[in-house]
Amino acid sequence: MDYQKAFDLVPHAWLISKLRAYHISEQIINWIQRFLSGREQQVVVIGEESDWKRVTSGIPQGSVLGPLMFILFINYLPKLVDYDAYLFAVDTEIFNSIRSRNDTEASKET
């Protein structure tokens, strides 16, 4: 599963609620909220400019916070699957050992 691009669509409010679930101090949460708020973006194609729009999701690319926020956000994923899962930088590997015909059948059902 590769969800790096999907992370760009995660609303800031979800990220903040995840930080609160980890019991991160309100002072740090407020600092991160200020870092994320007030951002706007515009698209330019062949010299034509779109209107500026407020950014309400994702983390600015290249920021130091980006990888940390990504890891904190996806850290719960292995707990949601019945198989072994390994988290990597931008994707997850989920696997199951097939030791019997029952394992094969169970794998087909998921």
Side-chain angles (χ1 to χ4, degrees):
M1 298 181 340
D2 183 352
Y3 32 70
Q4 182 176 8
K5 293 294 182 194
F7 186 62
D8 293 339
L9 303 175
V10 174
H12 293 156
W14 291 9
L15 296 172
I16 297 304
S17 72
K18 181 65 77 168
L19 295 175
R20 286 194 172 103
Y22 282 116
H23 304 290
I24 293 175
S25 77
E26 276 305 308
Q27 185 177 4
I28 292 174
I29 290 172
N30 290 336
W31 179 78
I32 291 172
Q33 281 181 308
R34 286 191 303 275
F35 172 76
L36 295 174
S37 66
R39 295 184 180 275
E40 293 184 331
Q41 66 184 15
Q42 176 187 52
V43 176
V44 179
V45 177
I46 312 173
E48 295 294 320
E49 300 176 352
S50 71
D51 293 335
W52 285 92
K53 297 290 181 183
R54 190 167 56 105
V55 177
T56 59
S57 63
I59 301 288
Q61 291 185 357
S63 71
V64 174
L65 276 182
L68 175 63
M69 293 294 291
F70 181 76
I71 289 167
L72 290 174
F73 192 74
I74 66 163
N75 197 41
Y76 71 97
L77 286 176
K79 296 175 185 173
L80 297 178
V81 295
D82 293 330
Y83 302 107
D84 292 323
Y86 293 120
L87 298 176
F88 297 102
V90 294
D91 65 1
T92 298
E93 298 289 329
I94 299 174
F95 64 93
N96 187 27
S97 298
I98 305 296
R99 294 186 182 98
S100 70
R101 184 171 299 279
N102 288 342
D103 291 341
T104 303
E105 295 305 316
S107 294
K108 289 178 183 177
E109 294 173 9
T110 55

